[in-house]
Amino acid sequence: MPLRFFNTYSRQIENFEPRNPAGRKISIYTCGPTVYSRAHIGNFRAYIFEDLLQRHLELRGYNVHRVMNITDVDDKTIRAAREAGIPLTKSTAQFKEAFFEDIETLRIKRADEFPAATDQRYIDKMIEMIATLISRGLAYQADDKSVYFRINKFPDYGKLAHFDLTQLQSTGRVKHDEYDKEHIGDFALWKAWDEEDGDVGWESPWGRGRPGWHIECSAMATALLGDQIDIHCGGVDNIFPHHEAEIAQTEGVTGKKFVRYWMHCAHLLVDGQKMSKSLGNFYTLPNLLEKGYTGREIRYALMRVHYRAPLNFTWDGMNEARESLGRIDDWLVRLRETAAGKIDKRKIDMQPGQEFEEALDDDLNISAALGFLFETIRETNRALDRNEVDAVSANAWLNWWERVNSVLVVEEEIAQLPPEIAKLAEARAQARLAKNFQKSDELRNELSARGWQVRDTKDGQKITRRAGA
């Protein structure tokens, strides 16, 4: 089954055809955090969807080069720093650090690069792109000294958001970063310095100022991934105006199609309502951890609904996530105990299928994939109850689980082995490396006698505490 994704640009599910099919290389740009406050669980719903996408592409043999930007200068970050009475860099640094702590907790794979908008090389790139747009008549400096993009000079403006531009008229210039779709106007590429910016600003051919939010992503994406990329992700709230502006700016400079596939994640609701501090339903990751939930439970809860469907976050849903992971944990314990037993050819040979991966091939249908996983758990548990699974079949299912968990990343992990167990494990690893299999088996038996289950994998060995030990 070919990989198929819903492309926001075409509003259709399309077969995935990367720009470099022979080399199996894929470039992905994902919109990262705006570091004016700590990211909330709605943000992480999108970041986990993007993580799932990357991990599945890698499972299918693709080499993914992913860039996630960090917006550390825009209207919001400047306002937050001003209200806190501290420099912009100090204000944003604390939230950058918190973001990296949170993605570690949620087991989100780090991007290859995390470019920050204030890095001088990207500021230079932004200035270069703006100058090109002005030279081509696509941008102009207005009386307020800011530089704006002329949307009426870019015929494709509005196609990502599916606006009928014949029905839309520019109502003037929009200097701030975000605006409602009812207010269409030439958007700011370079904002002239004003008193509210304080010490934030860079010199440019148009005077001291700072970049608009939209040009930041265009500059960072093309600087690191080139003029054309395979996939661009974000939340549905990014479609307009941010991603619409990115297309206009980038294609206005390069003359090439910027992105092949646009993928957007639906909103997260809390108890059926929009998340809001005023409603008291606004949650960050630490808020959930303080209630006793773990990172993997939160990850599972935010991942289990298809990315294009709204996710309704509830405490019942968190408890259901905990129960689901408990079922997986119990199943793995039973399989590992069976895998350490004897081979019995009289028993049923149960072999995994491809349904899990094929469900994800179909526009990352995680709901169907998890449905197959839990049906598998039910069937194998029944067979285990009937003593119909031998070591060969159990190991086959464990190998299948390795592939599944490389995408889900929800298996319970022991943070640190006891020192004496870690020492035995290291000695066994060295024995295997030296092909001293007699010594390796002796150490396996020693670990087993101490209550630890050892399973060899292609990357080394996995050691977990045996049930009841």
Side-chain angles (χ1 to χ4, degrees):
M1 180 178 186
L3 281 166
R4 303 167 67 241
F5 298 131
F6 182 86
N7 189 346
T8 305
Y9 200 88
S10 66
R11 290 293 198 274
Q12 294 180 347
I13 291 181
E14 303 176 6
N15 287 347
F16 178 61
E17 298 177 359
R19 293 178 305 112
N20 184 1
R24 307 288 289 178
K25 294 180 180 179
I26 297 174
S27 55
I28 302 180
Y29 186 86
T30 55
C31 282
T34 300
V35 283
Y36 70 101
S37 65
R38 191 155 196 153
H40 55 68
I41 58 173
N43 301 133
F44 284 111
R45 197 252 167 132
Y47 302 151
I48 288 173
F49 138 64
E50 293 158 357
D51 186 61
L52 179 69
L53 171 64
Q54 175 174 357
R55 290 178 182 275
H56 183 59
L57 287 169
E58 290 173 342
L59 180 65
R60 285 309 199 191
Y62 288 100
N63 179 12
V64 176
H65 181 189
R66 182 167 68 93
V67 171
M68 173 181 271
N69 76 294
I70 294 179
T71 300
D72 58 355
V73 58
D74 77 331
D75 296 348
K76 293 178 180 178
T77 55
I78 293 173
R79 183 168 57 250
R82 186 174 64 248
E83 290 174 352
I86 58 178
L88 177 67
T89 53
K90 185 176 182 179
S91 176
T92 58
Q94 60 185 320
F95 300 120
K96 289 179 186 179
E97 182 179 355
F99 169 72
F100 287 114
E101 289 175 358
D102 288 348
I103 64 171
E104 187 72 22
T105 299
L106 293 173
R107 307 179 183 185
I108 295 173
K109 179 176 286 192
R110 289 200 172 210
D112 296 288
E113 289 97 9
F114 287 96
T118 55
D119 190 316
Q120 187 61 50
R121 61 184 150 166
Y122 302 123
I123 294 290
D124 292 342
K125 177 73 170 178
M126 297 170 209
I127 291 173
E128 176 188 331
M129 294 182 76
I130 294 169
T132 299
L133 292 170
I134 291 174
S135 70
R136 294 179 178 173
L138 291 169
Y140 60 95
Q141 186 172 23
D143 295 339
D144 64 2
K145 304 302 180 184
S146 294
V147 179
Y148 296 89
F149 187 91
R150 284 192 173 100
I151 63 169
N152 63 359
K153 293 294 184 180
F154 189 78
D156 286 343
Y157 190 84
K159 288 192 175 180
L160 179 68
H162 286 237
F163 289 156
D164 181 359
L165 287 187
T166 63
Q167 304 299 315
L168 297 173
Q169 299 293 326
S170 173
T171 56
R173 307 183 189 101
V174 179
K175 188 176 181 181
H176 49 88
D177 286 327
E178 298 183 80
Y179 48 98
D180 298 329
K181 60 186 179 183
E182 291 82 7
H183 185 188
I184 302 300
D186 294 348
F187 57 85
L189 298 167
W190 187 262
K191 301 182 177 187
W193 182 89
D194 62 34
E195 291 184 2
E196 291 190 347
D197 291 339
D199 60 357
V200 179
W202 292 264
E203 298 303 325
S204 79
W206 316 286
R208 186 166 179 79
R210 59 183 174 90
W213 173 36
H214 313 310
I215 195 66
E216 294 175 2
C217 280
S218 291
M220 290 184 282
T222 54
L224 293 169
L225 297 173
D227 292 347
Q228 297 178 289
I229 61 178
D230 292 297
I231 302 173
H232 196 314
C233 301
V236 292
D237 53 317
N238 290 141
I239 295 174
F240 186 88
H242 187 47
H243 290 165
E244 196 74 67
E246 275 191 65
I247 294 172
Q249 296 161 157
T250 310
E251 296 185 4
V253 169
T254 67
K256 303 173 184 176
K257 185 179 181 64
F258 177 35
V259 175
R260 290 177 71 92
Y261 301 90
W262 288 92
M263 299 179 68
H264 292 93
C265 179
H267 288 298
L268 177 141
L269 304 173
V270 177
D271 292 323
Q273 295 180 296
K274 183 177 180 180
M275 188 165 57
S276 165
K277 290 181 180 179
S278 63
L279 293 174
N281 65 357
F282 184 94
Y283 300 117
T284 63
L285 197 59
N287 295 148
L288 273 57
L289 296 174
E290 288 167 2
K291 289 183 175 291
Y293 296 103
T294 64
R296 75 177 186 131
E297 290 169 344
I298 300 167
R299 176 186 175 88
Y300 184 90
L302 296 179
M303 177 176 57
R304 63 181 180 160
V305 173
H306 191 277
Y307 75 96
R308 286 195 291 114
L311 169 62
N312 188 31
F313 176 88
T314 65
W315 298 115
D316 285 343
M318 284 301 306
N319 293 328
E320 289 169 7
R322 175 172 287 174
E323 292 171 3
S324 296
L325 292 175
R327 290 179 60 194
I328 293 173
D329 293 343
D330 294 343
W331 175 66
L332 290 173
V333 168
R334 298 190 73 187
L335 284 179
R336 285 172 179 142
E337 289 177 339
T338 304
K342 295 181 180 179
I343 299 173
D344 188 345
K345 293 298 184 184
R346 295 170 299 174
K347 295 188 177 181
I348 295 173
D349 183 19
M350 298 180 66
Q351 295 297 323
Q354 293 292 316
E355 289 88 342
F356 180 89
E357 294 171 24
E358 289 175 351
L360 293 181
D361 287 343
D362 185 19
D363 195 32
L364 294 183
N365 191 342
I366 187 65
S367 302
L370 290 174
F372 176 72
L373 169 61
F374 285 105
E375 180 60 31
T376 294
I377 290 174
R378 281 190 291 272
E379 291 180 0
T380 50
N381 274 333
R382 289 169 185 159
L384 287 162
D385 291 341
R386 297 190 297 266
N387 197 29
E388 293 176 347
V389 180
D390 74 349
V392 171
S393 292
N395 272 297
W397 283 108
L398 287 170
N399 287 331
W400 175 79
W401 169 251
E402 291 288 338
R403 291 179 61 82
V404 170
N405 193 54
S406 71
V407 177
L408 298 182
V409 203
V410 294
E411 183 175 346
E412 185 173 25
E413 296 177 349
I414 298 174
Q416 187 174 4
L417 296 174
E420 68 277 10
I421 300 301
K423 186 175 180 180
L424 288 172
E426 177 60 24
R428 182 172 184 271
Q430 293 301 321
R432 290 185 68 211
L433 191 63
K435 298 188 183 301
N436 186 344
F437 300 116
Q438 180 178 350
K439 182 67 173 176
S440 172
D441 288 343
E442 290 174 359
L443 290 165
R444 176 197 285 270
N445 293 336
E446 175 67 15
L447 285 162
S448 180
R450 291 173 179 247
W452 295 85
Q453 179 73 47
V454 181
R455 179 167 177 269
D456 293 326
T457 69
K458 64 179 181 179
D459 299 319
Q461 60 185 359
K462 180 171 285 189
I463 301 178
T464 54
R465 187 177 289 279
R466 202 169 60 243

